[in-house]
Amino acid sequence: MECRSRTGIPLHPSKNHIMKRFNPILIYILTISLSLALLYSCMDSKAHTQFYSAYDAHNIPELLERNAGLGSPEERQNSLNIYAGLKNELKKDHMNIDARLKLIQLFMLEARVGGEHGYYYPKALEQIEIILSFSPPKEDRFYALSLQSAILLSLHKFPQALAVATQARELNPYNAQIHGALVDAFVELGDYKSAVTTSDKMVSLRPDLRSYARVSYLREIHGDVEGAIEAMHRAVQAAYPGYEESAWCRLTLGNLYENYGRIEEARMQYEQILKERTDYPFAIAALGDLAAKEGKYKEAKELLEKASSFIPEFSFYESLIGVYAELGMEEKANSTLKEVLLMLEDDTEKGHNMGMEFARLYLEEIKNYDKALSYALEEARSRPENIDINKLLAAIYFKKGQWELAQNHIEKAGITQSNDPEFLALKGLIMRENGDKEDAKQLLKKALDSNPFLPEIWLEEIEG
C-alpha cells in the first residue's frame, strides 16, 4: 500500500482536495518503464559487466500474485514470464547486472499496479545496493541510480532522492528521465525556480508524457490552470491507451478538472479510463468520490469498496470513512479509521515517510490539532519551503485559532501564485479572522465560483 498524497487520488468532499492533485513523483514512478522489454533494448548486453557477489543466487525475491482484476490476463502473464526469465538468468549467473536492473523495474511495475509497495520497494532497493556495491560500469551505475532516485521519491525521502538524482545526472546529463526526477525533488523541497529550469531542460531533451505531465503540474501551481490542462492533454495523447501509465495520466487530467469544479469533464475522463482499462481501481474510486460529492452515498460506498478490493490503497479507505459517516455507519467509519492508521504505521515501518498523511488525518478526521501539528512540523524541518506543507500548517494553525501563525504560513504557501480553490478559500478564511473582511469576502467568492465542491472542513467555516 502506498498513500498517493497530492497525486490525483480523489477523496470524499470532507477530505483535503490538495491531496487530489497530480504529483510528478508518481508520474516518474508510473512511467519509468513503458515496456520492460524495450527499455534496455537499445543497450548492448555485452557492455554489462559480470561482477562477483556473495549474494545467494537462490534467494531471489518472489513475485507476488496479482489480484485477478488488475490488468489483462495477457499483461499478468507477461509479468510472470519476464520474472521467470530473469530468475532463470540470475540462477545461472547471479552476477548479471542487466538481469538485476530489469528485475528492479519489474518490481517497480508490480508495486504500482498491485499496490504492494511495502514489499516491492525494499526488495528493489536491495537489488540496487547489490549492483552499486561492486562498482559497475558508468552506464549501469547511471541506470541503477536513476531507479534508486525514483523509489526514494515514492518513499517521500526527498533530500536523499535529490542527492542520488544529482549523482546520476553527473554520469549522464542528456537523459530526460533523470531530469524528471530532479524536477520532482526540487518541487517537494520547495525549490520551484530550479524545478522550472530543470523541467524546461527535460522538455528540450524529450517532449513526451513524462515531461508534459511535469509542465502541467508546474503551470498549475503557478496559477496557469488552462495551460496545465492543455499540457496534461498532451501527456494523455502521448500515452498508449490501455497501459497503466496511460490510465494514470488520464486520471490526473480528470483530477485537474475536478479540482477546479469541472465535474462532468472529470467524469468523462474517469469513464474513458474504464473503457480502455477495465477495473482500474483509481478510476473506480474517482467515480465513487464524484458520487459522494453529489450526495449519492450508497453508490459511492459500492464504488469505493470495489476499488479497495483490488488494491490496499490508503486513500480509498480514507474516502470510505466519510461515506460511512454520511450513511450513519459510525461503527464502520471508526473501524476503517483505525485500519487507516494501521496502514500508515505499516508504511512507516517499511521505510515510507508518511508524516503529511498522518498530519492530514489528525486534522480532518480525528480533529486532534496538536497531534496534526507535531507531524506537520516534523515534515517542515526537512523541507520548510514546500507550499503544500505551509498550506497544511496554515490550516492547522487556523483550526487552533492562531491566526498570525496561520497568516505567515499561508503567505509562504502562496509564493507560486496558485489559483487552487482550496488554497484561496483557506487564505480568505485566515484574512477574515485577521480583520481583512472585504478582501476575504472577494477571495472566498472566487474560491467557491471556481469550485463549489470545496471540502466540508472549509465549507463549514465559510458558511459559518
Side-chain angles (χ1 to χ4, degrees):
M1 185 280 295
E2 176 183 34
C3 172
R4 302 188 181 195
S5 62
R6 296 184 297 102
T7 63
I9 308 306
L11 302 178
H12 179 267
S14 67
K15 305 298 186 296
N16 187 338
H17 278 226
I18 195 64
M19 295 176 70
K20 293 170 53 54
R21 182 58 177 116
F22 159 70
N23 187 328
I25 292 170
L26 286 176
I27 285 295
Y28 184 70
I29 296 295
L30 297 171
T31 63
I32 196 168
S33 172
L34 293 179
S35 167
L36 292 170
L38 291 176
L39 180 65
Y40 291 101
S41 62
C42 61
M43 297 170 63
D44 183 358
S45 60
K46 293 181 181 179
H48 290 139
T49 301
Q50 305 292 300
F51 65 97
Y52 173 79
S53 172
Y55 178 74
D56 182 358
H58 299 288
N59 188 25
I60 300 167
E62 292 299 320
L63 195 72
L64 302 181
E65 184 177 353
R66 274 196 203 179
N67 185 303
L70 294 174
S72 67
E74 294 78 14
E75 181 181 297
R76 294 195 296 276
Q77 188 59 50
N78 186 49
S79 287
L80 290 171
N81 292 342
I82 291 172
Y83 174 75
L86 294 173
K87 186 173 183 178
N88 186 52
E89 286 184 42
L90 288 170
K91 281 188 174 181
K92 288 190 295 185
D93 181 3
H94 62 276
M95 299 179 293
N96 190 321
I97 296 178
D98 186 27
R100 290 200 186 277
L101 287 169
K102 289 179 179 177
L103 183 66
I104 293 162
Q105 283 204 291
L106 179 60
F107 284 173
M108 292 171 72
L109 172 69
E110 290 300 308
R112 75 176 186 246
V113 174
E116 298 291 348
H117 303 84
Y119 172 80
Y120 283 116
Y121 285 158
K123 300 297 184 184
L125 289 173
E126 178 184 273
Q127 296 297 312
I128 292 169
E129 288 302 323
I130 290 171
I131 293 172
L132 294 176
S133 67
F134 290 92
S135 302
K138 180 179 178 180
E139 187 175 38
D140 292 328
R141 181 174 176 80
F142 168 76
Y143 279 108
L145 290 173
S146 297
L147 296 173
Q148 187 180 40
S149 66
I151 296 172
L152 289 170
L153 284 166
S154 187
L155 294 174
H156 299 179
K157 296 183 176 181
F158 305 119
Q160 299 96 314
L162 177 61
V164 171
T166 301
Q167 290 180 51
R169 183 175 59 179
E170 290 172 358
L171 294 171
N172 185 353
Y174 304 106
N175 180 278
Q177 268 184 198
I178 202 61
H179 282 83
L182 287 165
V183 171
D184 301 342
F186 286 136
V187 164
E188 295 298 339
L189 293 171
D191 187 353
Y192 301 104
K193 183 177 180 180
S194 294
V196 171
T197 301
T198 309
S199 176
D200 289 344
K201 178 65 175 178
M202 184 185 185
V203 173
S204 71
L205 289 168
R206 187 165 184 172
D208 62 3
L209 68 88
R210 305 170 193 179
S211 52
Y212 292 142
R214 287 175 173 83
V215 168
S216 173
Y217 180 74
L218 288 169
R219 285 179 178 177
E220 195 236 342
I221 65 171
H222 284 87
D224 182 8
V225 179
E226 291 305 317
I229 290 172
E230 184 269 337
M232 206 61 224
H233 269 290
R234 288 194 180 189
V236 169
Q237 292 163 4
Y240 295 94
Y243 282 72
E244 204 274 348
E245 64 270 10
S246 174
W248 184 263
C249 281
R250 195 175 287 279
L251 180 79
T252 300
L253 176 60
N255 296 160
L256 184 53
Y257 280 130
E258 186 178 352
N259 199 40
Y260 288 85
R262 296 163 66 168
I263 301 301
E264 291 309 312
E265 289 167 283
R267 192 191 313 277
M268 288 174 60
Q269 297 300 325
Y270 303 149
E271 291 176 346
Q272 182 61 35
I273 293 170
L274 295 177
K275 291 177 183 177
E276 298 175 358
R277 190 177 177 89
T278 305
D279 288 335
Y280 185 60
F282 294 101
I284 295 169
L287 289 171
D289 285 295
L290 287 186
K293 286 176 184 286
E294 296 167 334
K296 302 174 183 177
Y297 297 111
K298 289 184 179 179
E299 180 182 340
K301 173 179 173 293
E302 292 175 4
L303 289 166
L304 288 163
E305 287 180 342
K306 181 179 180 180
S308 62
S309 72
F310 288 118
I311 60 173
E313 170 58 41
F314 160 84
S315 61
F316 300 169
Y317 293 93
E318 190 182 31
S319 293
L320 278 167
I321 295 170
V323 171
Y324 289 144
E326 292 289 351
L327 291 171
M329 303 170 64
E330 293 299 332
E331 185 175 340
K332 186 67 173 175
N334 290 333
S335 65
T336 304
L337 176 58
K338 291 178 182 178
E339 187 173 359
V340 168
L341 284 168
L342 289 174
M343 293 170 82
L344 290 177
E345 290 169 2
D346 181 64
D347 260 14
T348 301
E349 290 174 2
K350 291 175 179 176
H352 195 157
N353 177 14
M354 305 300 286
M356 286 190 71
E357 288 69 34
F358 270 116
R360 288 184 175 117
L361 197 65
Y362 278 104
L363 168 66
E364 297 165 11
E365 298 295 344
I366 303 174
K367 316 296 184 186
N368 184 333
Y369 304 133
D370 289 334
K371 193 79 170 178
L373 182 61
S374 67
Y375 277 109
L377 287 174
E378 180 63 29
E379 192 71 22
R381 289 188 182 96
S382 63
R383 45 196 188 118
E385 304 305 316
N386 179 274
I387 58 175
D388 294 308
I389 291 174
N390 279 287
K391 177 184 168 185
L392 179 60
L393 283 167
I396 296 169
Y397 282 125
F398 174 84
K399 285 295 186 179
K400 287 172 64 68
Q402 295 177 261
W403 318 124
E404 187 174 344
L405 285 170
Q407 182 68 38
N408 291 340
H409 285 286
I410 202 65
E411 288 176 2
K412 291 187 72 173
I415 59 172
T416 61
Q417 306 300 311
S418 172
N419 281 315
D420 173 65
E422 187 183 342
F423 164 76
L424 297 178
L426 179 57
K427 183 177 180 180
L429 288 169
I430 293 170
M431 290 171 64
R432 188 170 71 184
E433 294 298 336
N434 281 311
D436 193 355
K437 298 188 182 299
E438 191 56 39
D439 287 343
K441 183 178 179 180
Q442 294 178 15
L443 206 56
L444 291 172
K445 182 179 184 304
K446 182 179 179 181
L448 287 171
D449 287 345
S450 296
N451 185 5
F453 294 102
L454 287 172
E456 262 178 38
I457 188 174
W458 305 125
L459 280 177
E460 292 171 352
E461 295 285 353
I462 294 171
E463 293 168 357

